[in-house]
């Protein structure tokens, strides 16, 4: 009996050590920290870029939560076939070309993850859309992510993902601010959870500095998202006081929610929203049957809005629809 107890204790201890070893291995990063924030230029031959268009005083900008090209399967306990990702990549590439974009801000874009068959989606879309300048901010870099929780066969595995800004105008600099963690979550949850970022890029446009702030706020915890909203507003105001500034991304809050965390942005006197005004509420989520507006473009009075819309013809490349706007500098 005593021997059985000893064997049981030893087996439990060995299992504990095995689980801890796997845990410590799994939440380690795949990349060195200096590769989490990258700024690269001339990734596409400059002869491919329409240089005459770059002299235009109008720029076209889009925000798109790409959902790593997984369509409506995003975060669902399934493993889509590679053909789905290939098809969605082609559709996304065609969309970028059709819309004749100058700048696009992506959220949930993969740089080599098991869940999306190790595509570098940033690299592929930069080439397809002829964007010479790219700023990357990795917000999720783990060797193994045990989500969706069940069954284990659909766990994400290796994850390298984040936020990207692609531009036909030079990106002179980027600064990445890490927003608050979910304080109510247990430590192991936060170890495997993505970072929420504000990616601030300085873009050279018409002899001026254009500030583009790309964000992806907390989705599941309302109190944390409210903290993120306050942090992002402070970042925006720091730059908007001096520069033409665009704040865009996935804010994970709809105006028609009770106590919506997007309200401080919509009520602010020093910014305006694109394609959102009066009784006209254009939804961006989910892409199959939109019933919430989570994705926004805001701007300050140093810019003039020429047009803005939610791009419904993007279809179900992602579970989000993109938002697009055209601006010129204010007189």
């Amino acid at each position: 009996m005593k021997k059985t107890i000893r064997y049981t204790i030893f087996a439990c201890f060995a299992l504990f050590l095995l689980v801890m070893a796997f845990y410590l291995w799994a939440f380690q990063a795949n990349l060195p920290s200096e590769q989490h924030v990258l700024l690269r230029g001339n990734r596409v031959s400059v002869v491919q870029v329409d240089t005459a268009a770059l002299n235009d005083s109008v720029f076209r900008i889009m925000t798109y939560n790409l959902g790593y090209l997984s369509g409506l399967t995003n975060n669902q306990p399934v493993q889509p076939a590679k053909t789905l990702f290939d098809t969605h990549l082609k559709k996304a590439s065609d969309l970028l070309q059709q819309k004749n974009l100058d700048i696009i801000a992506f959220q949930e874009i993969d740089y080599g993850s098991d869940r999306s068959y190790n595509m570098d989606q940033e690299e592929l879309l930069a080439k397809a859309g002829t964007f010479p300048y790219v700023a990357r901010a990795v917000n999720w870099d783990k060797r193994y992510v045990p989500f969706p929780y069940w069954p284990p066969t659909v766990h994400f595995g290796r994850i390298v993902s984040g936020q990207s800004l692609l531009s036909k105008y030079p990106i002179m600099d980027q600064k990445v601010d890490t927003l608050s963690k979910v304080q109510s979550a247990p430590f192991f949850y936060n170890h495997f959870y993505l970072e929420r970022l504000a990616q601030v890029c300085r873009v050279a446009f018409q002899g001026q500095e254009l500030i583009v702030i790309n964000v992806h706020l907390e989705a599941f915890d309302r109190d944390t998202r409210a903290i993120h909203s306050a942090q992002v507003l402070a970042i925006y105001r720091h730059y908007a006081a001096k520069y033409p500034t665009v704040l865009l991304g996935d804010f994970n809050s709809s105006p028609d929610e009770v106590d919506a965390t997007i309200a401080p942005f919509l009520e602010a006197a020093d910014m305006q929203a694109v394609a959102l005004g009066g009784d006209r509420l254009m939804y961006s989520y989910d892409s199959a049957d939109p019933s919430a507006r989570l994705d926004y473009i805001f701007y300050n009075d140093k810019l003039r809005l020429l047009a803005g819309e939610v791009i419904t013809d993007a279809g179900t490349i992602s579970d989000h629809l993109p938002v697009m706007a055209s601006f010129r500098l204010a007189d």
Side-chain angles (χ1 to χ4, degrees), residues 39-72:
L39 184 63
R40 288 171 285 184
N42 296 322
R43 295 168 62 85
V44 181
S45 174
V46 292
V47 299
Q48 295 178 293
V49 178
D50 184 352
T51 54
L54 296 184
N55 293 322
D56 191 350
S57 60
V58 175
F59 67 92
R60 288 154 292 279
I61 188 168
M62 177 186 282
T63 179
Y64 199 179
N65 182 324
L66 197 62
Y68 61 97
L69 294 174
S70 64
L72 299 177

Side-chain angles (χ1 to χ4, degrees), residues 50-247:
D50 184 352
T51 54
L54 296 184
N55 293 322
D56 191 350
S57 60
V58 175
F59 67 92
R60 288 154 292 279
I61 188 168
M62 177 186 282
T63 179
Y64 199 179
N65 182 324
L66 197 62
Y68 61 97
L69 294 174
S70 64
L72 299 177
T73 70
N74 187 4
N75 294 328
Q76 299 301 311
V78 297
Q79 176 56 62
K82 186 176 185 297
T83 53
L84 179 139
F85 290 93
D86 293 337
T87 299
H88 287 176
L89 176 65
K90 177 63 166 60
K91 290 181 177 179
S93 300
D94 291 344
L95 181 71
L96 300 193
Q97 293 168 5
Q98 292 164 8
K99 299 303 179 184
N100 192 27
L101 296 164
D102 298 302
I103 303 170
I104 182 164
F106 285 117
Q107 307 87 42
E108 290 192 47
I109 184 169
D110 277 2
Y111 311 119
S113 301
D114 288 347
R115 63 181 182 178
S116 54
Y117 295 90
N118 294 299
M119 291 180 176
D120 187 332
Q121 296 173 347
E122 175 191 84
E123 179 80 23
L124 294 168
L125 290 170
K127 288 182 177 178
T130 322
F131 292 99
Y133 304 98
V134 177
R136 172 184 295 192
V138 175
N139 66 359
W140 211 357
D141 180 5
K142 305 296 177 187
R143 294 180 181 175
Y144 190 88
V145 175
F147 183 85
Y149 300 121
W150 192 262
T153 54
V154 298
H155 285 175
F156 283 159
R158 179 181 186 267
I159 286 281
V160 184
S161 187
Q163 298 166 212
S164 291
L165 195 78
L166 280 54
S167 176
K168 293 184 179 178
Y169 297 96
I171 303 174
M172 300 180 292
D173 181 45
Q174 80 163 323
K175 179 178 183 294
V176 177
D177 288 289
T178 302
L179 307 178
S180 298
K181 289 278 194 181
V182 180
Q183 295 301 312
S184 60
F187 73 92
F188 53 84
Y189 178 93
N190 280 328
H191 276 176
F192 287 100
Y193 196 45
L194 74 163
E195 302 281 0
R196 300 291 181 173
L197 305 179
Q199 179 188 23
V200 183
C201 295
R202 295 178 181 266
V203 179
F205 178 71
Q206 297 294 301
Q208 296 195 38
E209 290 186 22
L210 170 68
I211 304 299
V212 181
I213 307 171
N214 179 21
V215 302
H216 187 194
L217 305 192
E218 169 59 26
F220 306 110
D221 186 83
R222 191 264 169 208
D223 291 342
T224 302
R225 188 165 61 251
I227 294 170
H228 290 176
S229 295
Q231 292 173 326
V232 167
L233 272 170
I235 294 168
Y236 166 83
R237 285 172 173 149
H238 172 77
Y239 293 98
K242 183 176 179 181
Y243 302 101
T245 302
V246 178
L247 167 64

Side-chain angles (χ1 to χ4, degrees), residues 185 200 270 323:
V200 183
D270 55 352
V323 182

Side-chain angles (χ1 to χ4, degrees), residues 2-16:
K2 290 182 179 179
K3 185 179 292 187
T4 300
I5 293 174
R6 285 199 301 271
Y7 285 155
T8 301
I9 293 172
F10 177 79
C12 290
F13 183 67
L15 179 62
F16 171 78

